[in-house]
Amino acid sequence: MKTRNIFLLALTALLTVSCHSWDDPSEEAGLKSIGNQYIQATNVKTIAEIKSSFQNEINNNGLKQVTKPTQIQGIVIGDDAGSNLYKQIYVQDATGALCISINKSGLFSETAVGQCVMIELEGLYVGGYGKQGQVGISYTDPSKENATAQVGRMSRYTWDEHFKLIPAIEGLSVKPITLRSLESLDLAADCGKLVKLVGVKLKNADGKIVFAPSDGSAKLVGGCVNRDIDGMSNVVVRTSTYAKFANEVMPTEKVNITGIAARYNDTWQIMPRTADDIELTTGDEKTDDDVPEVDPAGTGTEADPFNVAAAIAKCQQTGETATEEIFFVKGLVSADYTVDSYKNATLVLVDALGATKAKFTAYRVKGADGKGLKEGYKIAKGATVIVSGKLVNYKGNTPETVQNSGTLVSVNGQAPELAE
């Protein structure tokens, strides 16, 4: 009798438990299971700000340690799923991209393309290799006599302490910049970003040659093969001999190639992430550099400001010697901007959003009478602004207002917010 009662009680308990529904783990729980959840957004910087702060180290193959809490947030645009990127990921935000060097394989299992991350830079090093911005640790090659320190791969344990997964960031996606050439990109500002080259032909493709053979039939540079593109003198497609598509035959037809636009000194190195990044051209593709050019307009006065095209023309006319006269320029802000503690703004202006060639830089402009702009003041992408200042074609290739001469006159018809 007792045995029967115990059996009934056990059956009742089992049925009671089985009636409860099982809730799948939340997305937040999944994010918190990887990386260091104690990282906080106490001093978030844009990637462009980090590259600017460490510009000397990046440009001279040096490195420098980040010594105070500093975070970047971005979306992963390149991982090692296709084995063409080795022990590194590329992270991009609205302003730029950086290579993160990690001594770990299978990074795609935690930080796959499309995943947003926050990285704590304090204690890590920022530097460059071939002027490509990188984040890692200090490493000196023991096999080389008198070797100098360079950015090396951080251990998996160090990496685990310096990143965490975060939810999607508004406005960020893995959509590449789609172009027919890289002429409109800036090597310093745009290196590391995700791009898609449309309608290009791989030089020497004959229906037999593969991307990256390891049989000695192609020159290897760092375990990779660089393939030239017809008509592009400073662009190569870079493929590792370990890439999963290394032995695929190069198409003889025109192709679209998506990849990380890394740099080695003055050469663009397009690194496809997987075989899917190489596809035949359909001929119907629209690109970001298809934006029609706008004719110069305006006289440069307060009543009749130059448009961007006219401002560029004036800068090209005056050259590297700044104008004595103050000119007014009207244009659209090409990217969101937030005024920092320096209380000025550097805005890239265009005549039409999406334009990649005709750009004018309002460099470190302030408010009227030289007053600082309010820290935290936000200027949205697409805002119509008017700036004034002396004009110059800086180093012969950057049309801009002369430093400390520029004024942000208005934003969408309103005076900008000034510091108190």
Side-chain angles (χ1 to χ4, degrees):
M1 186 68 175
K2 289 182 179 180
T3 302
R4 179 173 177 273
N5 289 340
I6 291 172
F7 174 76
L8 290 173
L9 286 171
L11 181 61
T12 301
L14 180 62
L15 291 172
T16 300
V17 171
S18 67
C19 289
H20 286 284
S21 61
W22 174 260
D23 293 328
D24 290 331
S26 65
E27 179 184 1
E28 183 178 1
L31 295 177
K32 289 184 176 180
S33 66
I34 297 173
N36 180 3
Q37 299 310 307
Y38 294 101
I39 296 174
Q40 299 295 321
T42 60
N43 184 32
V44 177
K45 298 294 184 181
T46 67
I47 288 177
E49 289 174 323
I50 296 298
K51 290 171 71 173
S52 176
S53 297
F54 293 85
Q55 182 177 10
N56 183 64
E57 289 73 25
I58 291 172
N59 288 343
N60 293 286
N61 291 337
L63 76 167
K64 185 178 180 181
Q65 190 173 36
V66 182
T67 57
K68 64 180 181 179
T70 306
Q71 306 84 37
I72 57 173
Q73 297 181 137
I75 188 169
V76 177
I77 56 168
D79 62 26
D80 57 359
S83 299
N84 200 31
L85 301 182
Y86 180 66
K87 294 188 176 181
Q88 58 186 206
I89 60 174
Y90 278 79
V91 175
Q92 180 173 315
D93 68 7
T95 69
L98 280 170
C99 173
I100 315 298
S101 299
I102 309 154
N103 193 20
K104 180 180 179 180
S105 300
L107 291 165
F108 67 92
S109 64
E110 294 180 345
T111 50
V113 168
Q115 175 63 57
C116 289
V117 295
M118 180 186 295
I119 301 173
E120 174 57 70
L121 297 179
E122 184 181 19
L124 299 178
Y125 288 76
V126 178
Y129 179 72
K131 300 184 180 180
Q132 171 65 56
Q134 296 184 331
V135 175
I137 61 169
S138 177
Y139 172 76
T140 303
D141 189 344
S143 68
K144 295 182 179 179
E145 188 176 353
N146 300 322
T148 57
Q150 293 182 321
V151 176
R153 302 185 188 108
M154 70 186 89
S155 72
R156 65 181 65 191
Y157 309 106
T158 300
W159 172 237
D160 284 344
E161 289 298 315
H162 282 268
F163 89 102
K164 72 175 182 179
L165 308 184
I166 59 175
I169 299 173
E170 184 177 359
L172 290 188
S173 73
V174 292
K175 181 182 178 182
I177 306 170
T178 305
L179 304 163
R180 300 188 188 278
S181 77
L182 298 185
E183 292 180 2
S184 61
L185 296 188
D186 181 274
L187 268 167
D190 296 319
C191 65
K193 290 182 179 180
L194 186 65
V195 304
K196 181 177 183 178
L197 271 177
V198 171
V200 299
K201 289 200 71 174
L202 292 164
K203 197 172 183 178
N204 299 325
D206 62 359
K208 297 177 182 179
I209 296 176
V210 301
F211 281 94
S214 55
D215 59 6
S217 60
K219 180 182 177 180
L220 297 183
V221 182
C224 298
V225 176
N226 295 329
R227 296 296 189 184
D228 293 329
I229 296 175
D230 277 347
M232 298 186 184
S233 60
N234 68 329
V235 184
V236 297
V237 178
R238 185 171 176 83
T239 308
S240 167
T241 56
Y242 291 99
K244 294 179 180 178
F245 57 94
N247 292 309
E248 291 194 11
V249 175
M250 295 195 301
T252 58
E253 305 95 331
K254 287 187 176 182
V255 292
N256 304 331
I257 302 176
T258 301
I260 303 299
R263 72 178 292 189
Y264 183 73
N265 294 324
D266 294 329
T267 298
W268 289 104
Q269 296 182 331
I270 308 302
M271 299 188 295
R273 300 158 300 174
T274 68
D276 291 338
D277 280 340
I278 303 164
E279 60 184 9
L280 297 181
T281 300
T282 66
D284 297 325
E285 293 86 355
K286 301 296 183 183
T287 66
D288 296 325
D289 50 1
D290 284 340
V291 177
E293 294 185 6
V294 177
D295 292 331
T299 58
T301 64
E302 185 173 7
D304 185 29
F306 284 143
N307 66 359
V308 168
I312 292 172
K314 184 64 181 179
C315 289
Q316 291 172 340
Q317 180 187 50
T318 192
E320 297 182 51
T321 301
T323 64
E324 292 294 332
E325 187 178 352
I326 298 291
F327 291 96
F328 289 77
V329 181
K330 182 178 182 179
L332 303 177
V333 179
S334 63
D336 292 339
Y337 189 89
T338 301
V339 176
D340 60 18
S341 58
Y342 291 102
K343 299 179 181 179
N344 58 43
T346 296
L347 307 173
V348 177
L349 306 184
V350 294
D351 282 322
L353 289 181
T356 55
K357 293 184 179 180
K359 295 181 178 181
F360 176 85
T361 302
Y363 186 64
R364 293 185 180 178
V365 293
K366 293 187 175 183
D369 300 321
K371 293 182 179 178
L373 301 173
K374 181 179 179 181
E375 184 176 353
Y377 176 52
K378 297 182 183 299
I379 304 172
K381 176 180 179 179
T384 299
V385 303
I386 296 177
V387 299
S388 65
K390 297 179 180 180
L391 305 187
V392 68
N393 197 21
Y394 182 68
K395 291 189 175 181
N397 57 21
T398 306
E400 65 180 32
T401 56
V402 174
Q403 182 177 349
N404 299 324
S405 79
T407 299
L408 180 58
V409 178
S410 66
V411 179
N412 290 329
Q414 303 293 320
E417 295 182 20
L418 303 180
E420 296 180 357

